[in-house]
Amino acid sequence: MIDLHTHSTVSDGSDPPARIPELAAAAGCSAVALTDHDRLDGLAEARARAEALGVELVPGCEVSCEWAPGTLHVLVYFVEPGEGPLQDELARLQTDRTERNRQMVERLSVLGLPVTLEELAAEAGGDGAGRPHMASILVRKGVVGSVQEAFDRYLARGRPGYVSKARLSPRTVAEQARGSGGVAVLAHPLSLQLGERELDSTVAELADAGLSGLEALYGRYSPDERAGLADIAHRHGLVATGGSDYHGTYKPDLTVGTGQGDLSVPETTVTSLAERRP
Ligand code: AMP
Ligand code: ZN
Ligand code: FE
Ligand code: FE
């Protein structure tokens, strides 16, 4: 089996990039993708460890796109750090995130919730800090009882600490991914919060926009949901991909490879995806 969706300390996971292939190997995965939010910075470290362990490291990242009312995340695969349209876009997103963190910290301080940029950088282990890190600081300070409560009261979209971040259209991300030699995949499709019919027509639109796959086998989905999504993928000529969305201690119910214990993504998925590369 394989896992095509994991996060490290380079974004909002709790394990360093090198740890991801170790966990993949321990779970019996032959390949693992590192898909940090907006960043490719962990790939070199992860690849070095993966090679030593005989695990294939699939380069990736996850980009938030404009979408309402739910959220739309696009996973990009096979794009390496360096020059290219997607890489340039990721650099812009990083600049925007830094500014957004500044604004959110300011909002939190107005609300009487002391979180400093220094604490945020320490929590995130450098760049790439985001809302989960703010949540975790608020938990540690006893302001809230859990990360979820921090989101529900202060950090979720529409709550008083929230500041929106720059978002692209899925079509733009798909085009940039292809321009950089990669492919784009719709992540956790049920986050779109659509009924069966609407989901189907939206997937058709996204396929037309240049997406190559749909994450049917998602760590937190039930067997029925996974089967339904795989069916939608096939009907629209998309690769049914899958992964755990491992975040370490930030999402403690998820394990690399097996998700909540019942996930198993076939090895052929990565070959099918590679065949869609431009
Ligand atoms: P950011 O990129 O800083 O906006 O943070 C996005 C991350 O925050 C996501 O990957 C989720 O892990 C987490 N997140 C977003 N919304 C919520 C929510 N309503 N409840 C819990 N976690 C959330
Ligand atoms: Zn995340
Ligand atoms: Fe996501
Ligand atoms: Fe993710």
Side-chain angles (χ1 to χ4, degrees):
M1 63 184 206
I2 63 170
D3 190 335
L4 293 176
H5 193 162
T6 69
H7 297 266
S8 76
T9 48
V10 161
S11 62
D12 56 356
S14 63
D15 288 299
R19 183 80 184 127
I20 300 296
E22 290 174 5
L23 294 168
C29 291
S30 57
V32 65
L34 180 64
T35 53
D36 278 307
H37 299 281
D38 307 338
R39 299 184 75 199
L40 303 169
D41 305 68
L43 295 175
E45 187 189 321
R47 177 169 291 122
R49 192 74 193 109
E51 276 173 6
L53 292 164
V55 173
E56 181 190 350
L57 194 277
V58 179
C61 63
E62 183 175 16
V63 181
S64 303
C65 292
E66 194 48 62
W67 188 264
T71 58
L72 194 153
H73 289 179
V74 169
L75 290 159
V76 172
Y77 297 106
F78 310 121
V79 173
E80 302 281 352
E83 302 282 299
L86 186 82
Q87 293 90 333
D88 293 349
E89 189 64 63
L90 296 179
R92 285 191 287 274
L93 291 174
Q94 192 54 41
T95 309
D96 177 83
R97 179 179 282 280
T98 305
E99 176 53 28
R100 182 230 203 180
N101 285 339
R102 219 192 315 273
Q103 292 175 7
M104 285 193 68
V105 160
E106 177 128 359
R107 287 207 175 198
L108 292 174
S109 115
V110 169
L111 292 165
L113 307 175
V115 174
T116 67
L117 287 170
E118 290 70 30
E119 286 170 323
L120 198 55
E123 178 68 28
D127 297 331
R131 288 182 289 162
H133 304 103
M134 296 176 198
S136 154
I137 293 169
L138 293 174
V139 171
R140 204 170 53 240
K141 292 189 169 183
V143 174
V144 287
S146 67
V147 165
Q148 193 56 54
E149 188 188 342
F151 271 93
D152 293 345
R153 285 175 66 182
Y154 303 114
L155 303 173
R157 199 198 287 225
R159 304 307 300 159
Y162 181 76
V163 174
S164 68
K165 64 180 175 184
R167 287 173 205 273
L168 310 159
S169 74
R171 186 179 292 272
T172 301
V173 174
E175 281 167 2
Q176 289 172 340
R178 296 186 73 77
S180 293
V183 300
V185 169
L186 174 63
H188 39 73
L190 300 183
S191 297
L192 296 175
Q193 297 177 299
L194 299 174
E196 219 169 302
R197 265 257 179 68
E198 296 161 301
L199 181 59
D200 201 82
S201 59
T202 300
V203 169
E205 259 175 66
L206 292 171
D208 177 69
L211 269 73
S212 303
L214 179 150
E215 193 178 44
L217 310 178
Y218 185 66
R220 281 179 171 164
Y221 294 167
S222 71
D224 277 357
E225 289 170 333
R226 291 174 191 164
L229 290 167
D231 181 56
I232 294 181
H234 294 138
R235 275 192 286 111
H236 295 285
L238 298 177
V239 180
T241 71
S244 61
D245 207 3
Y246 178 76
H247 279 72
T249 56
Y250 290 98
K251 293 187 182 179
D253 58 314
L254 298 170
T255 302
V256 172
T258 54
Q260 291 183 324
D262 65 344
L263 188 68
S264 182
V265 181
E267 219 169 2
T268 49
T269 310
V270 73
T271 338
S272 306
L273 210 48
E275 284 167 5
R276 305 294 181 103
R277 294 178 67 172

